[in-house]
Amino acid sequence: MAPHFLTILDMTCADAWKVLGKAADMKAEDYRSNLLAGKSIALVFEKASTRTRVSFEVAIAHLGGRAIFMTSQDSQLGRHEPVRDTARVLSRYVDGMVVRTFGHDKLKELAAHSAVPVVNALSDDYHPCQVLSDILTIREHASDLTGVRVAYVGDGNNMAHSWINAAVHFPIELTLATPEQYAPNPRILEHALSLGAKVRLTHDPVSGVAGANYVYTDVWASMGQEAEQDARAKVFSPFQVNEALLSRAAPGCMALHCLPAHRGEEITDEVMEGPRSLLWDQAENRLHMQKAILEWVFDSGARAD
């Protein structure tokens, strides 16, 4: 069976590099193929999305397949039917599932009982498709990733975890700057460090961005955490990515954000609309990376030997 893609560590290092190169080539040639001709892919989204949904639907179409979009209102996932039953039923209808959900355990259970590949389009713990797109964006500006310094500033959430995992496969130097009570999962960090990732954790945003070539942020309250918004805003206010903070990074430092952004909270309009912003390249690169990921999943020849 084709592989599941639940975290970037489901790929070997060689595979991750191969997918990165393939996405760049696909972007350069406006790639189309018939890889998914005759195949239907279910997009099961319990969380709303713009970039993830559209990029995957277009990517599937560019590869010759058909996307079937399902919200939580359209499926039994997370309702009365056990996840394993949903997995078994959908496996008999479709050729793959792209799932955007809350708890990562639900995604793991879905994959464990599915006879077709499952791709993580976002869970509360990981967002692997996004971080690969981000690495692609950085590589377009820094052809050699060795020693590139990335500072992640904000909540130790699924994006922080995905950056930690990315540092296992790619030779970046990652610093995470989070409030102490919102640090990333220590188990995820310890595992990455044991695999050789170069990752540093600090609770000081100024120290975190020192020497950084790229400064990355995300919303302070993710979907499902809206009730915490006001409390989080007070804690996270020193972690806002603004021109003052970027001035403490390396000269020429660029800013990234996975979007959607809460303008004026975790990032300012001035940064988003200014010459340091790579946000729109990031958003575009979701499409090219989704195609490369789908090819890796469905074409065994796209995986490293």
Side-chain angles (χ1 to χ4, degrees), residues 1-4 83-92 94-99 107-119:
M1 190 187 82
H4 300 303
V83 172
R84 62 184 179 273
D85 292 1
T86 298
R88 289 163 175 154
V89 171
L90 285 180
S91 294
R92 298 189 177 213
V94 299
D95 301 283
M97 289 180 255
V98 175
V99 183
L107 197 66
K108 289 166 65 177
E109 184 179 0
L110 194 66
H113 295 278
S114 173
V116 299
V118 175
V119 174

Side-chain angles (χ1 to χ4, degrees), residues 19 29 44 54 66-67 70 87 92 98 159 190 245 248 261 274 280 299:
V19 167
E29 62 185 88
V44 185
V54 175
R66 180 190 178 209
M70 305 169 66
R92 298 189 177 213
V98 175
M159 281 312 312
E190 289 164 9
L245 186 64
R248 309 301 290 269
W280 319 117
D299 182 0

Side-chain angles (χ1 to χ4, degrees), residues 222-233:
S222 298
M223 278 180 277
Q225 299 171 334
E226 289 82 1
E228 304 173 29
Q229 177 66 39
D230 291 344
R232 283 173 171 258

